[in-house]
Amino acid sequence: MSHSKSYEFLLKDISTLKQVGQKTKKLLKKKKIETLFDVLWQLPQAFVDRSNLININKLEIGKICTIKVQVIKLNIPRIRNLPNTVRCEDSTGKIDIVFFNSREGYIRKLLPLNEWVIISGKVNFYNKKYQIANPAYIVPLEKENFVKKVIARYSLTEGITEKIYRNIIEQVLQKLPFLPEWHDKNTMENFDNKSWRESILDLHNPRVKQDFQSNYFKRLAYDEILSSLIVLSQIRKKIKKIIKKPKKFRNKLSKKIIRNFRFQLTKNQIDIINEINKELSSQSKMFRLLQGDVGSGKTIVALIAAANVIESGYQVAFMAPTEILANQHYSLANRIFSETKIKTDLLTGKTNFSERKKKNNALKENYTNIMFGTHALFQKKTEFGNLGLIIIDEQHKFGVKQRMELSKKGGEDCDILVMSATPIPRTLIMTFYGDMDISKLIEKPSYRKEIISLSKPETKINEVINFIKKEVANKNQIFWVCPLINESKKLDYEATVKKFEYLNKIFTGKVGLIHGLLKNEQKEIVLKNFLNKKIQILVSTTVIEVGIDFPNANVIVIENSNKFGLSQLHQLRGRIGRGNMQGTCILLYKKNLSANAKKRINILKSTNDGFKIADEDMQLRGFGDILGYKQSGIKEFKLADPIHHNKLFKMAEINIKEIENRKLDLKKYEPLIKLYDKAEIINQID
Ligand code: ADP
Ligand code: MG
């Protein structure tokens, strides 16, 4: 096919461009630019008007100007720290071109004595003279039109000048292929029939206003959304095609377990258990996401499913992101399985060699029924005799690709259940989890008291301390969270240490500290001390994972709470109130809260519903800021924005359902998928 070649052009390595050597390639890689296609998504930050040639006597200080001048004198002092200067003039005046850190040879080549040149840069006034320091452009007269333009300015990495970058983007735009249209007529009407190529050109065109509601922008955003849905739909289709051996069980074990609970399962839990049971005993492979707030009772649901799988003769792997979490699940399982003959075991990175060997043997022999652990569970040496279900907890660090790999790992007969407490706004569920079936736990266990959320200015910290004194006296435990101030681990460390010292003066010997510079093992020691109540107050940045059960922690103090997103505050708050005591969340803030910050705090006070909070968060902060998504690597859109392009997301959902229901041919989407599916999940479209 001739056009398939054209999209392939865009997948070429960046170094195939002229004037892109290994050095530039490395610098671009830092910006995640590796192929020609990647270049297209580095959006212009601004446009610089260099189009007017100005006489020296008309120059405006502080502005970017373009001048046509003759070189009249070079001043190369050859003394360290003194800049090289080149005096130039036109018929109306003189100007100094100043170079810091430029070699003499380079300057002489750019500005040969007596020659006329075009120079563009920001004009300063220094020592009663005009000057331009390190101009962006110096070109001979014949290249005047290369500079005399409105030029798109990109955010550049160090080492890449505007000129070099422009050269790169212009080379790509010039050769931009005409791709066959993949959208149907109806869809295209929404974008005034803007083709992909036209849209990309508009995106980089200084004369076209950057506006996310314009046709070109919406078209490109839609491409992104739809490609993601198609990829997920393809994965889903592949999984649905698998025919597995149904699991046979009579709920004997699970009934026994449920009878022994001190509580009643909620209706929501029962419904989901039934849904899962039906799927386990069917011929189709389960690939299901169990979504619900922290503490909504997901783990219990998963363990009941596990019991059924075990009753049918299969084994279960239960994977947690950290050792502590694996431990917690393991001991919870030991408690609830205590009346049964289910054999549990635990395998983590800490398990030593000889123990590991024994455990692995027991697994292989199908002696162990359920194995808990961290990712150590899926090392090559660990073999299950008859694995029938993989359960994964807190998978928000898992991308689509990892999910896929995991689903392959267990083999065709193995079902997959993934649990997540990351609240996802409704608009995004399909784009994130379109490959999976979803069960949602919304109802909370009834005994659980709503956490009381309060906000206080930091000036009233004494009141907070007094409150904490009472809690400490009552043997309760407290989280004290300091926000990540910036990307610098060192500064965050210093801020948490300060807080630790302050609190430790008041509550001597009762305070622990966790910060980003601690190694995982060190972190786990502190967390264990907190779990075992050796310490009562835990100062931390947001580095502790969600999901750990601290039944005795019922107060959380969040400093600078206005710096956190709603969803993040909600997640933090979810760490307390897991036992049956009243939980209190204290949101500290510095004076002068913005209207937006006030709104956030009020929403948090008014509801405990994670989904609602995620939606509100998105409305208030915009997609890019919602915590967890960027860091989680779940998915990052280049242009599509779930708030501004809400309609497009809905449109894409309808579109993909139509494709699925009518079994439409996906061949025409091939360029779209090949270009946008960075993880290269889909090798073949069918
Ligand atoms: P999640 O995994 O969603 O964070 P868990 O399953 O760990 O939640 O449940 C949190 C706590 O609530 C556990 O101690 C569990 O025993 C308890 N729990 C679960 N379901 C119920 C229920 N229906 N009623 C009362 N307590 C429950
Ligand atoms: Mg949990």
Side-chain angles (χ1 to χ4, degrees):
M1 245 178 5
S2 64
H3 38 244
S4 79
K5 274 215 179 75
S6 17
Y7 82 75
E8 276 155 7
F9 161 77
L10 289 166
L11 293 175
K12 279 190 183 172
D13 193 276
I14 190 81
S15 61
T16 56
L17 291 177
K18 275 181 216 143
Q19 293 172 42
V20 177
Q22 287 307 310
K23 196 177 129 216
T24 309
K25 182 176 160 157
K26 258 194 199 147
L27 291 169
L28 287 170
K29 197 170 174 183
K30 279 195 208 150
K31 287 226 139 193
K32 298 204 171 114
I33 298 178
E34 294 180 62
T35 65
L36 305 192
F37 184 73
D38 296 336
V39 176
L40 302 175
W41 308 106
Q42 177 79 13
L43 302 194
Q45 301 296 305
F47 295 99
V48 185
D49 189 351
R50 301 184 191 275
S51 58
N52 289 325
L53 269 189
I54 294 175
N55 286 336
I56 290 178
N57 66 350
K58 295 266 167 58
L59 286 178
E60 280 182 69
I61 294 159
K63 284 220 167 130
I64 290 173
C65 300
T66 305
I67 52 177
K68 185 195 248 180
V69 290
Q70 187 177 24
V71 180
I72 52 175
K73 192 174 153 212
L74 273 75
N75 179 14
I76 313 282
R78 297 200 177 81
I79 299 172
R80 278 189 78 179
N81 297 329
L82 274 189
N84 299 326
T85 38
V86 179
R87 172 72 48 86
C88 298
E89 65 178 20
D90 67 7
S91 59
T92 68
K94 291 185 186 7
I95 188 166
D96 280 342
I97 309 301
V98 184
F99 295 89
F100 298 93
N101 313 315
S102 283
R103 270 173 292 121
E104 181 180 343
Y106 169 79
I107 294 169
R108 284 187 189 282
K109 198 173 146 210
L110 273 179
L111 294 163
L113 211 54
N114 297 323
E115 291 294 320
W116 283 85
V117 289
I118 302 288
I119 298 175
S120 189
K122 193 167 167 185
V123 178
N124 287 318
F125 201 70
Y126 183 77
N127 258 349
K128 294 183 191 157
K129 266 187 237 101
Y130 285 115
Q131 72 169 38
I132 295 179
N134 297 328
Y137 291 95
I138 303 175
V139 296
L141 289 193
E142 65 264 23
K143 288 210 178 147
E144 180 172 330
N145 289 333
F146 179 68
V147 180
K148 247 179 60 184
K149 268 186 184 170
V150 181
I151 295 170
R153 195 148 87 190
Y154 298 86
S155 110
L156 304 165
T157 39
E158 210 172 318
I160 297 191
T161 61
E162 180 176 320
K163 207 169 131 194
I164 296 179
Y165 194 78
R166 221 184 120 194
N167 186 324
I168 293 170
I169 180 83
E170 281 180 8
Q171 280 187 67
V172 180
L173 292 180
Q174 265 163 26
K175 292 187 201 157
L176 207 59
F178 291 84
L179 301 179
E181 185 54 64
W182 42 77
H183 294 304
D184 56 35
K185 254 182 85 192
N186 285 343
T187 306
M188 287 301 285
E189 272 168 21
N190 290 288
F191 317 120
D192 196 23
N193 293 314
K194 277 264 173 198
S195 73
W196 183 84
R197 184 175 181 278
E198 274 179 289
S199 301
I200 293 281
L201 291 176
D202 278 357
L203 191 64
H204 291 272
N205 186 346
R207 270 173 253 287
V208 176
K209 201 168 143 253
Q210 265 197 34
D211 172 9
F212 46 72
Q213 293 304 358
S214 56
N215 288 318
Y216 76 86
F217 203 105
K218 283 197 299 196
R219 190 243 141 88
L220 294 173
Y222 192 71
D223 282 337
E224 241 187 305
I225 300 166
L226 189 69
S227 69
S228 157
L229 288 183
I230 294 177
V231 168
L232 292 173
S233 159
Q234 287 276 296
I235 297 175
R236 188 187 167 84
K237 201 160 109 190
K238 278 203 174 121
I239 291 170
K240 294 282 173 205
K241 267 191 198 153
I242 298 172
I243 294 175
K244 74 157 201 252
K245 264 194 223 135
K247 300 192 167 72
K248 292 186 187 135
F249 51 88
R250 294 213 206 104
N251 286 299
K252 254 171 62 192
L253 284 175
S254 62
K255 274 188 186 146
K256 198 168 187 181
I257 291 164
I258 294 169
R259 250 199 317 270
N260 282 329
F261 284 155
R262 286 164 292 143
F263 52 79
Q264 293 271 309
L265 291 172
T266 62
K267 169 153 190 315
N268 203 178
Q269 282 173 315
I270 293 169
D271 288 346
I272 293 176
I273 290 169
N274 288 338
E275 192 174 32
I276 292 173
N277 283 345
K278 206 169 139 198
E279 207 168 9
L280 290 173
S281 46
S282 79
Q283 284 196 328
S284 50
K285 183 182 167 106
M286 177 164 75
F287 195 47
R288 182 169 292 276
L289 176 73
L290 175 52
Q291 213 190 6
D293 262 346
V294 274
S296 59
K298 298 183 293 292
T299 312
I300 293 287
V301 168
L303 289 173
I304 291 169
N308 283 332
V309 170
I310 292 165
E311 187 186 318
S312 70
Y314 285 92
Q315 291 170 298
V316 178
F318 197 130
M319 188 169 96
T322 64
E323 219 132 284
I324 289 202
L325 262 169
N327 253 303
Q328 264 192 351
H329 291 322
Y330 175 61
S331 42
L332 175 69
N334 284 337
R335 257 185 285 136
I336 74 167
F337 293 159
S338 61
E339 306 273 305
T340 70
K341 289 193 178 122
I342 294 175
K343 289 174 219 67
T344 62
D345 203 353
L346 176 70
L347 192 68
T348 70
K350 284 216 188 85
T351 314
N352 71 35
F353 183 76
S354 65
E355 261 184 278
R356 173 174 298 255
K357 219 171 155 186
K358 267 192 232 155
K359 284 170 190 263
N360 279 339
N361 271 332
L363 255 191
K364 207 170 161 185
E365 302 297 321
N366 203 358
Y367 175 82
T368 304
N369 300 123
I370 178 166
M371 182 63 101
F372 292 83
T374 52
H375 56 272
L377 270 187
F378 288 106
Q379 281 167 349
K380 276 202 191 104
K381 285 188 191 116
T382 310
E383 265 178 66
F384 288 77
N386 193 21
L387 185 60
L389 173 67
I390 300 176
I391 300 169
I392 306 154
D393 187 22
E394 293 304 344
Q395 56 86 52
H396 52 274
K397 283 172 198 120
F398 262 56
V400 184
K401 197 171 181 186
Q402 283 104 318
R403 286 209 293 270
M404 275 255 292
E405 278 163 6
L406 201 87
S407 107
K408 279 185 196 146
K409 222 157 224 162
E412 305 228 314
D413 290 332
C414 183
D415 292 297
I416 312 274
L417 182 65
V418 175
M419 301 194 274
S420 171
T422 310
I424 306 266
R426 272 167 261 264
T427 333
L428 298 181
I429 290 186
M430 277 279 277
T431 13
F432 286 161
Y433 296 118
D435 54 336
M436 311 185 91
D437 291 309
I438 299 176
S439 303
K440 265 191 186 181
L441 255 182
I442 297 166
E443 202 177 337
K444 297 235 166 97
S446 56
Y447 76 93
R448 191 155 293 148
K449 296 198 179 78
E450 290 273 301
I451 296 166
I452 296 173
S453 299
L454 314 162
S455 54
K456 282 222 175 292
E458 263 171 38
T459 46
K460 294 194 180 164
I461 196 159
N462 281 338
E463 289 177 21
V464 177
I465 295 291
N466 284 337
F467 175 75
I468 289 184
K469 278 181 183 161
K470 275 187 225 149
E471 294 289 323
V472 167
N474 285 333
K475 303 253 180 314
N476 290 330
Q477 288 182 297
I478 294 105
F479 283 109
W480 191 293
V481 181
C482 307
L484 292 170
I485 298 163
N486 48 31
E487 311 274 286
S488 152
K489 281 190 176 169
K490 193 163 162 278
L491 284 180
D492 291 328
Y493 166 73
E494 283 165 6
T496 41
V497 167
K498 255 198 187 149
K499 191 54 59 173
F500 168 78
E501 284 168 354
Y502 166 80
L503 289 169
N504 203 36
K505 260 192 204 134
I506 307 171
F507 304 98
T508 311
K510 297 191 165 114
V511 190
L513 171 64
I514 283 199
H515 53 77
L517 294 183
L518 285 186
K519 294 216 176 79
N520 277 342
E521 285 163 31
Q522 297 169 302
K523 258 189 240 168
E524 300 226 336
I525 291 172
V526 182
L527 284 175
K528 265 186 197 145
N529 285 339
F530 192 58
L531 264 176
N532 302 334
K533 302 178 197 170
K534 283 189 188 146
I535 48 177
Q536 271 185 283
I537 303 176
L538 182 61
V539 178
S540 73
T541 47
T542 48
V543 292
I544 350 170
E545 293 82 6
V546 287
I548 305 178
D549 225 344
F550 295 98
N552 199 47
N554 60 347
V555 178
I556 186 163
V557 179
I558 305 173
E559 273 192 59
N560 257 337
S561 54
N562 47 308
K563 290 268 187 291
F564 291 99
L566 256 182
S567 303
Q568 192 177 18
L569 288 172
H570 177 65
Q571 293 253 359
L572 285 169
R573 179 169 68 175
R575 284 183 202 157
I576 57 158
R578 313 201 76 191
N580 46 13
M581 252 136 20
Q582 177 62 58
T584 311
C585 169
I586 301 174
L587 305 161
L588 287 179
Y589 60 88
K590 294 213 158 72
K591 269 194 272 171
N592 305 330
L593 275 186
S594 69
N596 210 319
K598 271 187 203 147
K599 246 190 200 163
R600 283 212 296 278
I601 289 180
N602 283 333
I603 291 168
L604 203 72
K605 282 193 208 170
S606 71
T607 179
N608 259 315
D609 178 345
F611 291 102
K612 197 166 162 200
I613 285 173
D615 280 346
E616 299 267 9
D617 196 14
M618 195 169 81
Q619 300 295 335
L620 280 176
R621 285 167 55 108
F623 170 60
D625 278 344
I626 303 175
L627 170 102
Y629 299 135
K630 273 217 162 128
Q631 290 95 318
S632 70
I634 294 180
K635 179 85 201 179
E636 220 181 294
F637 290 111
K638 293 166 187 118
L639 303 182
D641 180 304
I643 300 165
H644 297 126
H645 301 130
N646 198 302
K647 275 191 196 147
L648 298 181
F649 279 84
K650 287 187 183 147
M651 210 168 105
E653 281 189 23
I654 295 170
N655 206 334
I656 194 74
K657 281 190 187 131
E658 198 177 76
I659 291 172
E660 282 173 0
N661 293 341
R662 294 173 48 197
K663 301 197 165 63
L664 298 179
D665 188 7
L666 288 173
K667 258 285 177 273
K668 63 172 181 164
Y669 292 110
E670 184 168 304
L672 177 72
I673 302 307
K674 294 285 179 185
L675 289 174
Y676 285 77
D677 176 14
K678 272 207 103 167
E680 290 170 17
I681 297 169
I682 301 292
N683 309 320
Q684 199 190 325
I685 293 165
D686 52 28

